[in-house]
Amino acid sequence: IQKLCDRVASSTLLDDRRDAVRALKSLSKKYRLEVGIQAMEHLIHVLQTDRSDSEIIGYALDTLYNVISNDLEEEEQEENSAKQVDDLGSQFTEIFIKQQENVTLLLTLVEEFDFHVRWPGVKLLTSLLKQQGPQVQQIILVSPMGVSRLMDLLADSREVIRNDGVLLLQQLTKSNAAIQKIVAFENAFERLLDIITEEGNSDGGIVVEDCLLLLQNLLKNNNSNQNFFKEGSYIQRMKPWFEVGDDNCGWSAQKVTNLHLMLQLVRVLVSPTNPPGATSSCQKAMFHCGLLQQLCTILMATGVPADILTETINTVSEVIRGCQTNQDYFASVNAPSNPPRPAIVVLLMSMVNERQPFVLRCAVLYCFQCFLYKNQKGQGEIVSTLLPSTIDATGNSVSAGQLLCGGLFSTDSLSNWCAAVALAHALQENATLKEQLLRVQLATSIGNPPVSLLQQCTNILSQGSKIQTRVGLLMLLCTWLSNCSIAVTHFLHNPANVPFLTGQIAENLGEEEQLVQGLCALLLGISIYYNDNSLENYRKEKLKQLIEKRIGRENFIEKLGFISKHELYSRAAQKPQPSFSSPDHMMFDHEFTKLVKELEGVISKAIYKSSEEDKKEEEVKKTLEQHDNIVTHYKKVIREQDQELEELKQRVNTLTSQNEQLQATVTQQVSQIQQHKDQYNLLKVQLGKDTQHHNSHGDTFQMNGIQTEEVSKLKEELEEWKNKHELLQGQLKEKDSVIEKLNSSQLEMGTTEQSSQTGKFGGLEHNNELQKELEMLKSQIQLQSAEISKLQMENQKLQVMNTTADPMLGDSGATAATSSELEGRLEQEIKELKSEVKALSEEKESLQQRLDSSSSTVAILQDEKSKLQREVAESKKEQDDLLVLLADQDQKISALKIKLKDLGVPVEDEDDTESGDQGDEDEDGEEEEQD
């Protein structure tokens, strides 16, 4: 080995190094320790330097695999050397992964397509993960694209590499949520499901098993991946896995294993330990895709192996647990018997049958518990089968209630326990059913009066039966009496019950009986805590005094604590599924452990409370009840208001839709009115053509004619204008005279100016005064000239207005004779115009009458049109109804034809087609008539 290592390290020729590595490979299985110690460093060096030669790389990887792997044949291993071998593999793995580059190098080699490199690389990496899983996982996780490179193995066309790739990913995804998420998001679900389908689903070989184990690794306790699996619609692809035939005999061991893993995978998705929202969504998806229906088919099929049937029952249990839709479906499933029986009844028959396997009976109990979990409707249906009004008097069919009662009072203690727990689940958190169950009467023997179910339970309890039976009955009674004062009153009404319980608690019995003592203490505590003091002899205070005298408070609390300290109690509290190693360990139910946890502390406090404290507590309870009543009242009011609000919203919606429809009809009607207006205008135009000449003559007459009032107004205005004109002329004359005076004064000022210049040396003061006066006069002249120009403009305007206002009468200076002539002419014209106006008014009245008659005809036509439109709409509606009826009839006829053909009856198609054509013609005829 030393020489070969030297040759690997020092040889320059590749062939020499290859031969040396091949020789090391052949020695590595027998001399694993020596080759590992001496050659590992050289082999890693070969992997780093000789990447170009696939053969030497393959030999080196095989040698390292032989050194690190513990997959030796069992014949070669002795019990003493097994531990040494395990230690050897993990030690060599630790040496190899100490340098993280070695794992990264191995990842790059796995990428090579060459079979002689890729396959040994995959095997070596799998072995490293087996030996030092968490450390290698961490290295792969931090290396770039480490997980993605390994995912490519699933797409390899060579089955050997693909299958080993699945094994590698199994080791890689163990207990590492981060890698599980990466693998899932690298499309692992799609590829694995494709492989399972290619291999033949449950009929496939060990490859299917490996794929299912990998899927379990990816989904178990990984909420993110479960959600991704559901959102990716992969649940639907699980349905074909559970398709079984009528003949289920002779299943291979591999098929049983595969189906077992498939059922476990379904349970992983709907496990009670998952978040409730995720479980609920998966349950709904399984119902909608038909997976639950397929599982129920297996449940009711014949010839299915017992372990598969047991696992199927457990799977169905968790698929329906807490999901109302699935629970309702399961209640409707019938077994293929004659007459058909509900699946629940068939399963309960197995549960109370002592010849059935213990594991199967546990599975049926779990199924029944899951069916009733948060299912008040199902609970009511089970309890109703026990009530007197619903029991089948003929005795032809066995009900679930009868089976439970039969199991409860049979000689088999396991049946007693299972039936008691099942009945307790039917009462879980349902006070109404607890009260109803008090009505159940049992006929114990012929001639004796019937006994209530509660009384019979206490009778069996006092007879000293097996511990398992007593524990089951005590659990049933505790569940029944908790939170139900009426049941407590019924229990205390039997005078033998309280002395029996106190006697059981007070005795010093062995360890086996301690559990019964604890449950008796719990039952007595419930009878005190939920006591409404309706029975005088068994009031709370009296029962406490009885405990103090007969047992002692401390002793009572100690006995009560025996329950939660018991080992079997701790096991049952862990998960809902009843899983017991043997029938003897079947003592506690999961839901009952919750009840104990809830009541233990409360009962301990209640025992030590004084009567005053009890009174205070009762008062507090009453006030709380009143408060609750008020709250419920307000809740009811709010609910009613919500309903009213919803109704109002619906009304608003309907009114808005009606409003929109009405607006549409209004717009339609507006357009129709517009059309009618247009038609009316056309009629008006046609009617007005004949009278157009008269209208034009009348218009000119109205424009040129002068009424008497208008003439008088015009005369008054004319007089006013004349007066104004005379006033303006007078003002003009005054202004002219003023202007002349100013002109003369200006001339005088000019002369005075000349004289002042000649004698300016003699009178300066006189000269200044004259200059001031001259400036003042100039300013006055300017103002006067502006006023004159204004007056002249006004004079011109007035003259123009005078000429326009009096065109027919002439100038203002006309004589009185001309005005009298004008008045005569005007009066004559007025008379002529009056006669014409009278004729036109008569003509207008006749036209108005014609217009009124035409508008009435238009209204009549409009009414007729609206009637016709309504008739058309009704006829269209009738036609649509007829078409729908005809379509339904055609569908029924075609379905009947298909059935007749399936039954072998000849069907004439020609007659049908002829009659169909005839029907079409009739419909066309009806449509034409309606049109």
Side-chain angles (χ1 to χ4, degrees), residues 32 68-72 77 85-90 127 131:
R32 182 181 171 193
I68 288 169
S69 174
N70 290 329
D71 298 338
L72 300 174
Q77 286 187 4
V85 167
D86 288 344
D87 292 343
L88 199 61
S90 62
S127 185
Q131 302 295 338

Side-chain angles (χ1 to χ4, degrees), residues 220-234:
K220 200 166 188 178
N221 302 322
N222 193 318
N223 299 328
S224 171
N225 282 4
Q226 286 173 9
N227 190 46
F228 181 63
F229 191 82
K230 180 186 72 70
E231 295 295 333
S233 301
Y234 295 119

Side-chain angles (χ1 to χ4, degrees), residues 196-235:
I196 291 168
T197 308
E198 286 168 19
E199 294 291 324
N201 294 329
S202 59
D203 294 316
I206 197 165
V207 180
V208 173
E209 183 184 341
D210 291 336
C211 289
L212 290 166
L213 287 167
L214 176 53
L215 282 168
Q216 274 194 24
N217 279 0
L218 294 173
L219 293 170
K220 200 166 188 178
N221 302 322
N222 193 318
N223 299 328
S224 171
N225 282 4
Q226 286 173 9
N227 190 46
F228 181 63
F229 191 82
K230 180 186 72 70
E231 295 295 333
S233 301
Y234 295 119
I235 289 173

Side-chain angles (χ1 to χ4, degrees), residues 157-197:
S157 56
R158 295 159 295 193
E159 285 192 9
V160 178
I161 292 175
R162 185 198 69 186
N163 298 345
D164 281 352
V166 172
L167 295 172
L168 168 60
L169 289 168
Q170 269 185 37
Q171 297 298 326
L172 182 67
T173 53
K174 270 186 182 175
S175 309
N176 193 311
I179 292 176
Q180 287 167 5
K181 286 179 186 177
I182 296 167
V183 170
F185 283 97
E186 288 283 345
N187 210 19
F189 294 138
E190 185 77 35
R191 293 182 188 179
L192 291 169
L193 292 170
D194 286 342
I195 294 168
I196 291 168
T197 308

Side-chain angles (χ1 to χ4, degrees), residues 614-723:
D614 279 338
K615 283 178 184 176
K616 284 180 183 177
E617 193 177 341
E618 280 177 13
E619 286 174 6
V620 170
K621 275 186 181 177
K622 282 178 183 176
T623 52
L624 283 171
E625 281 175 7
Q626 288 174 356
H627 181 261
D628 287 341
N629 290 333
I630 293 164
V631 169
T632 49
H633 171 68
Y634 279 118
K635 278 182 180 177
K636 190 180 177 183
V637 170
I638 290 163
R639 203 178 294 113
E640 287 172 0
Q641 287 177 349
D642 284 341
Q643 286 176 355
E644 286 175 8
L645 192 65
E646 284 297 321
E647 287 172 5
L648 288 169
K649 279 181 182 176
Q650 287 175 359
R651 283 180 65 188
V652 166
N653 291 331
T654 52
L655 287 169
T656 48
S657 61
Q658 284 176 7
N659 187 21
E660 286 170 3
Q661 288 175 0
L662 288 168
Q663 281 181 349
T665 51
V666 164
T667 50
Q668 257 184 336
Q669 286 174 357
V670 165
S671 62
Q672 286 176 0
I673 288 163
Q674 191 60 42
Q675 287 175 3
H676 289 312
K677 277 185 179 177
D678 295 340
Q679 289 173 4
Y680 174 66
N681 289 331
L682 285 169
L683 287 168
K684 264 179 81 175
V685 169
Q686 287 173 2
L687 290 167
K689 277 181 181 177
D690 298 332
T691 58
Q692 193 172 6
H693 178 68
H694 298 293
N695 288 335
S696 62
H697 183 67
D699 291 339
T700 54
F701 174 77
Q702 283 179 358
M703 286 171 69
N704 296 326
I706 302 168
Q707 302 289 337
T708 53
E709 290 177 2
E710 289 175 354
V711 169
S712 60
K713 280 181 183 177
L714 284 168
K715 280 180 181 178
E716 288 172 3
E717 285 178 6
L718 189 61
E719 288 293 327
E720 284 176 6
W721 284 117
K722 280 179 183 178
N723 295 329

Side-chain angles (χ1 to χ4, degrees), residues 13 80 238 265 279 375 384 440 464 488 635 725 874 904:
L13 290 173
N80 299 332
M238 295 167 81
L265 196 63
T279 302
N375 182 11
S384 67
V440 176
V488 170
K635 278 182 180 177
H725 186 65
E874 287 173 4

